[in-house]
Amino acid sequence: MRILIATASKHGSTAEIGEQLGRAITSGLRARNIEPQVDVKKAHDVHSVDGYDAVVLGSAIYLGKWLKDATRLVDRDLDALQKRPVWLFSSGPITPGDNADNLKWINTPWAVEHHMFGGKLDPSVLSFTERIATRAAKATEGDFRSPDDIAAWADSICSTLAAHPDR
């Protein structure tokens, strides 16, 4: 079973979620006696989703939207994505319970699920303009990503894939 995990990350936090998902999905499927090949890539390095049995695609939320690398991948490969199980996730400097209803992909009918992860806001990696914008928005600094939430979602993905290994 070949699985692609692709992420669009502004400052690396969303890519770290993708790496955690990759490790958890690999070990979760092996525990279910399925030997996966899990590729974790940056969305802009994905040339095609052909050849993958399933896709997990995530993006940082930046100024209320997914990053262009993720949306370009979806726009380019939409037909292929609709032919395989796809899980979407978003992360941002918000906690998972915050309102994210305006995200374009949150209720897309062709995805198995969209999951919202908290993000990480570290002013030390921001540009001067980004620091001003986060201060003006009164954004809370910190790391709101939950390793337990990431692991639980990966386990849910593994359960679905193991129930339908022939997809």
Side-chain angles (χ1 to χ4, degrees):
M1 179 178 296
R2 288 193 70 207
I3 301 161
L4 171 65
I5 300 174
T7 60
S9 190
K10 182 81 171 164
H11 295 291
S13 299
T14 305
E16 290 172 359
I17 292 172
E19 291 165 9
Q20 285 182 276
L21 286 168
R23 289 188 298 273
I25 290 171
T26 298
S27 64
L29 288 174
R30 285 182 178 156
R32 291 166 171 89
N33 297 316
I34 297 171
E35 189 57 41
Q37 177 185 335
V38 179
D39 296 333
V40 180
K41 297 182 176 188
K42 294 177 181 176
H44 75 268
D45 290 337
V46 175
H47 302 293
S48 173
V49 300
D50 290 337
Y52 289 100
D53 301 303
V55 176
V56 178
L57 174 60
S59 178
I61 299 168
Y62 196 73
L63 301 175
K65 297 181 180 177
W66 266 25
L67 297 176
K68 287 183 182 178
D69 287 341
T71 58
R72 283 184 189 130
L73 191 155
V74 171
D75 290 343
R76 182 192 69 220
D77 286 348
L78 183 59
D79 289 340
L81 289 168
Q82 292 175 334
K83 296 174 183 169
R84 60 194 32 84
V86 176
W87 286 263
L88 304 174
F89 73 91
S90 301
S91 72
I94 56 176
T95 56
D98 288 344
N99 184 354
D101 292 338
N102 63 334
L103 290 175
K104 180 178 181 178
W105 308 114
I106 201 158
N107 291 315
T108 188
W110 49 265
V112 174
E113 179 183 7
H114 175 274
H115 193 85
M116 176 64 82
F117 291 109
K120 178 180 175 185
L121 180 57
D122 178 0
S124 70
V125 300
L126 302 178
S127 70
F128 177 74
T129 305
E130 290 170 326
R131 284 193 305 274
I132 290 172
T134 57
R135 275 191 222 124
K138 297 183 184 287
T140 305
E141 295 176 23
D143 190 345
F144 303 99
R145 300 170 297 172
S146 167
D148 291 341
D149 188 23
I150 295 166
W153 195 56
D155 188 62
S156 171
I157 292 170
C158 290
S159 292
T160 302
L161 290 172
H164 306 283
D166 55 337
R167 278 193 183 183

